[in-house]
């Protein structure tokens, strides 16, 4: 499924049935200068103004306020303001690029710069597939989704909560989720954030998997956490930062802003507010540990004018993907934004139109880390099995697009014109035979045959073909190898923590 | 359906149930510099090399060869070559921008520069809808599709053959098609090209509709014609040019290149070949009549590596949309490329993914005239009624995207932050109330409600909703007014020509 991008450039090696493909995308095309210099400066000025004049609330975490006071910020009660320049100065120690090691070193990902990494949907309580319909996710669903993600070559990273395992107590869920990624895949993944102890458990499990020494020197786990827009940072964020950044591990902080609700109803204001919130959190990570890897997150949604429901794949968030990309590069930190987003309930044309516009702008905009790149439905409430497969097939195409157009002598094919006269055809010529195999991206989920062959094969739409594919993939799945002692240590850790933790459903 | 882009900027006026919307898109965002200067120069060098060293075949039209000889080209038999620079020199008299008048002057379109015009699918012999399935198109289908196009605000231009009216003899079809656009819509449209006399009939009908004087001074009709790639221009092209360019009307010449068949299997070579073919035809129009409006066409398709079938919405044609845009702007002529293209047989997720990637790159790439912007299915063999509706809804969003992000004081909403404290919400604040109505594009075909309301309303997928919508639209249709004398003159002309022409089915 990786198509041309997967071919030739990199030594192929199969592990189990895991994907053999480049571990991430190395972009070779320029960035799109969607907003001009004047607009970008205005956006940055507004972010600085918000930080200096309005300030952000930092709540429920005295330690966070202490850190801000000590750094010289203007702290009154829980309101933190900082003079123009101070936050940018603090952000400057965050690395513009860093590597997250995977347990299989061939799958380690480079985050930042011109590198782009795709991960599946995160956080949906529901799952849907064509056979069983929509229902709450379970740990069995999560394990299946981890296995599919492992096998899909254009997903470079596992994320974490591909669906919520709602049948496991909330207090213990993080242990099973982190283990699922560690055991059934060998791609990099995220850790938990919902409580400080859960973050600490995730870091502890990563330490077991990767070893104390490796972890001291490298980012081996990251976490993704949302601010409470507008301009509120609660302890879920600051404690996660203290745990992950404190251990020199990566953290993504994401303002999720539904325009008109968690931010003003205009796109420029929402982008600037998101920048202000993310910059403050970036600065906070650098106060906790200078040089700790940070990813600037962004998630803007527009609104249905009929009902106020969030809408996805619409022109306002699409343009914000380009613009936040420009702003993140000016700030010099890696960016997470966008995804294959949709409000559709099923993997129909609406889902695909919205997801494609959202995701193509995400990749062209230069997002370095893309959560929700596959499987997202229903505004993030539901993980679609078929949608995961269909989205991932398009990701392979984006990978080719980002690699640009070859312009070497072979690409210009002058020998073909010596062989083929005007009005002739190139089907059998030497240049075609020499290049045919890797000429075009092979989208395995697209049916491009004529209507007669399509009907003969049952006139199956894309959703039906995707259903058949993921079922087959799960039958073909083989687990990647793991060191038995490490696996035992992980299971011991989980068993101990499960004994210590009471069952809780919140 | 025009959303924000349709609002406020332009005086609204309803004619029948025709769309009230801007007549075309005025782009306010920059172009995407996908290929670098070195690559662009290489592409231009290759096009010049093809013209100078390989040459193009001009067949079945002695007059065309005479014109080339007289211009000083190197003509041997039917092979025409031209020294480096000559063709570019000839192209320089083609206007970079021009206006095509519509019979309703509010719908006239400006083509070239930063203007972008969308038209529906062209040339499909089959139609498909959810109720009646797939069958040959008829004149009744064409009239329905003309009516729908008239009502859809994001289609600015009618094209011509929205489907082939296969129940009308080929020899007379052009008369009924041109009349359908003239009578049941008031948007600009194309004329016929399949034979010189049919082109002449189209121009004659335009002369009746617009008047001799108006036509002498203005472009009121255009035609779209394909070269026979590789490097073959037959009389369908040269005769069309002689008729349309000769009357100072517009012509679009489109190399249709399926990579590996009608061009080499590499993207760079196909882009350069298309540029060479289109430049030669542009030069030919300027030899026929200097200053005649010309649109440089481009249609590249990739190929399924399994079967050799053409594929659409894939990364190679997607990147070519950006690059041919750069080349057309360097040449200084308007561009037609892309469209909402797909190989899917139905309006499913495949159709939408492929169409969205194809069309978003088309609009971002700066195409000035987009045929196939809505309704295309099955590699162009079939016009989808539901697909037309769904695609057109997305076009409204692209229109907003192309208008860019406002950055005035209102957009930055500082008053909203004075009213709403951090951790508050913006739902009822003055800034939101002031801006709500035009804040976001309203995609009427997207269902963004929660799963419960969607199920209550019948759990309809996008295709089903689109079916209901076009049926309702046809019920609501009201024809735009037409001068009775003009209508009579058109009908007299058609009746006379139908008497003169024998029925023929080729």
């Amino acid at each position: 499924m990786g198509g041309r991008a997967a071919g030739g450039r990199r030594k192929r090696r199969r592990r189990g049935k895991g994907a053999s493909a480049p571990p991430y995308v190395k972009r070779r095309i320029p960035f799109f200068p969607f907003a001009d210099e004047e607009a970008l400066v205005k956006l940055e000025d507004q972010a600085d103004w918000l930080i200096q004049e309005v300030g952000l609330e930092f709540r429920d975490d005295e330690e966070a306020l202490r850190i801000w006071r000590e750094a010289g910020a203007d702290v009154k009660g829980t309101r933190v303001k900082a003079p123009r320049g101070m936050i940018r100065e603090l952000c400057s120690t965050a690395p513009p690029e860093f590597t997250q090691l995977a347990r299989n070193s061939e799958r380690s990902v480079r985050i930042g710069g011109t590198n782009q990494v795709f991960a599946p949907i995160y956080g949906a309580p529901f799952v849907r597939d064509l056979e069983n319909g929509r229902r709450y996710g379970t740990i069995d669903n999560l394990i299946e989704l981890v296995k599919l993600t492992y096998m899909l070559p254009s997903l470079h990273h596992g994320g974490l909560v591909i669906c919520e395992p709602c049948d496991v107590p909330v207090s213990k869920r993080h242990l099973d989720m982190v283990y699922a990624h560690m055991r059934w895949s060998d791609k990099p993944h995220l850790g938990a954030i919902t409580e400080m102890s859960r973050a600490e458990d995730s870091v502890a499990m990563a330490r077991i998997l990767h070893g104390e020494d490796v972890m001291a020197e490298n980012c081996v786990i990251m976490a993704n956490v949302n601010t409470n827009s507008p301009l509120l940072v609660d302890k879920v964020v600051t404690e996660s930062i203290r745990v992950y950044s404190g251990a020199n591990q990566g953290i993504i902080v994401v303002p999720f802003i539904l325009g008109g609700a968690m931010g003003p109803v205009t796109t420029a204001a929402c982008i600037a507010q998101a920048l202000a919130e993310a910059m403050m959190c970036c600065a906070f990570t650098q106060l906790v540990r200078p040089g700790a890897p940070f990813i600037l997150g962004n998630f803007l949604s527009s609104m249905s004018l009929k009902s106020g429901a969030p809408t996805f794949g619409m022109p306002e968030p699409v343009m914000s993907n380009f613009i936040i990309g420009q702003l993140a590069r000016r700030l010099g930190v890696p960016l997470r934004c966008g995804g294959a987003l949709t409000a559709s309930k099923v993997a129909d044309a609406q889902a695909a139109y919205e997801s494609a516009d959202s995701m193509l702008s995400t990749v062209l905009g230069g997002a370095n880390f893309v959560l929700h790149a596959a499987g997202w439905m229903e505004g993030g409430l539901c993980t679609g099995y078929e949608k995961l497969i269909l989205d991932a097939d398009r990701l392979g195409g984006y990978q080719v697009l980002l690699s640009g157009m070859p312009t070497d002598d072979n690409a210009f094919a002058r020998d073909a014109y010596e062989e083929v006269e005007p009005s002739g055809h190139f089907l059998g010529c030497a240049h075609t035979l020499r290049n045919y195999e890797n000429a075009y991206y092979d989208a395995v989920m697209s049916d491009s045959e004529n209507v007669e062959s399509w009907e003969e094969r049952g006139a199956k739409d894309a959703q039906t073909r995707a259903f058949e594919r993921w079922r087959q993939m799960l039958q073909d799945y083989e687990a990647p190898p793991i060191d038995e002692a490490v696996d035992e240590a992980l299971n011991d850790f989980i068993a101990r923590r499960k004994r210590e933790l009471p069952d809780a459903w919140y």
Side-chain angles (χ1 to χ4, degrees), chain A residues 257-314:
Chain A
I257 302 179
L258 169 59
M262 293 96 102
V265 79
T266 41
T267 302
C270 286
I271 293 176
Q273 180 186 315
L275 180 63
E277 295 182 15
M279 277 170 61
M280 279 295 273
C281 292
C282 179
F284 185 75
T285 63
Q286 301 306 300
L287 287 171
V288 168
R289 180 151 174 169
F294 176 84
I295 299 179
L296 183 142
N298 185 272
F299 194 101
L300 298 188
S301 162
S302 47
M303 191 186 262
S304 161
L305 301 178
K306 289 187 285 283
S307 66
T311 55
F312 299 92
M314 297 301 157

Side-chain angles (χ1 to χ4, degrees), chain A residues 98-109:
Chain A
F98 63 91
T99 297
Q100 181 186 356
L101 293 186
R103 74 173 174 99
N104 173 355
S105 64
E106 291 183 9
R107 301 202 198 278
S108 298
V109 290

Side-chain angles (χ1 to χ4, degrees), chain A residues 335-396:
Chain A
L335 169 69
R336 180 209 138 185
C337 72
L341 310 178
T342 179
S344 185
K345 273 56 73 181
V346 286
D348 65 348
Q350 177 189 344
Y353 282 115
E354 293 176 350
S355 295
D357 285 348
S358 179
M359 193 63 201
L360 181 52
S361 59
T362 299
V363 301
L364 290 177
N368 301 108
F369 183 78
V370 187
L371 214 52
H372 312 315
W376 165 291
M377 296 207 300
E378 226 188 286
L381 281 179
C382 187
T383 300
Y385 274 72
E386 290 82 22
K387 180 87 176 359
L388 182 86
I389 300 299
L390 294 169
D391 284 337
D393 198 36
R394 301 305 295 173
L395 294 180

Side-chain angles (χ1 to χ4, degrees), chain A residues 151-173:
Chain A
M151 297 173 82
L152 288 164
S154 301
L155 289 172
H156 314 110
H157 193 283
L160 181 67
V161 194
I162 313 181
C163 73
E164 279 286 352
C166 298
D167 54 342
V168 180
V170 173
S171 55
K172 300 176 177 178
R173 205 174 272 181

Side-chain angles (χ1 to χ4, degrees), chain A residues 157-270:
Chain A
H157 193 283
L160 181 67
V161 194
I162 313 181
C163 73
E164 279 286 352
C166 298
D167 54 342
V168 180
V170 173
S171 55
K172 300 176 177 178
R173 205 174 272 181
H174 63 290
L175 299 164
D176 289 349
M177 286 197 287
V178 171
Y179 180 75
H181 284 271
M182 289 179 164
R183 181 63 196 95
W184 308 117
S185 176
D186 60 5
K187 291 184 177 179
H189 59 86
L190 303 174
I193 50 104
T194 43
E195 260 198 7
M196 194 159 184
S197 66
R198 296 173 196 156
E200 285 165 341
D201 283 344
S202 304
V203 169
M205 288 174 73
R207 194 170 286 121
I208 294 169
L209 184 70
H210 293 274
E212 182 101 33
D213 294 352
V214 171
M215 191 150 175
E217 300 291 321
N218 295 283
C219 169
V220 299
I221 193 164
M222 298 202 298
N224 182 86
V225 64
N226 286 6
T227 59
N228 263 318
S229 304
L231 302 171
L232 170 60
V233 180
D234 63 17
K235 73 172 179 178
V236 174
V237 177
T238 51
E239 288 181 352
S240 297
I241 289 175
R242 285 160 53 204
V243 172
Y244 285 93
S245 306
N248 212 18
Q249 301 303 299
I251 191 140
I252 314 159
V253 182
V254 192
F256 161 47
I257 302 179
L258 169 59
M262 293 96 102
V265 79
T266 41
T267 302
C270 286

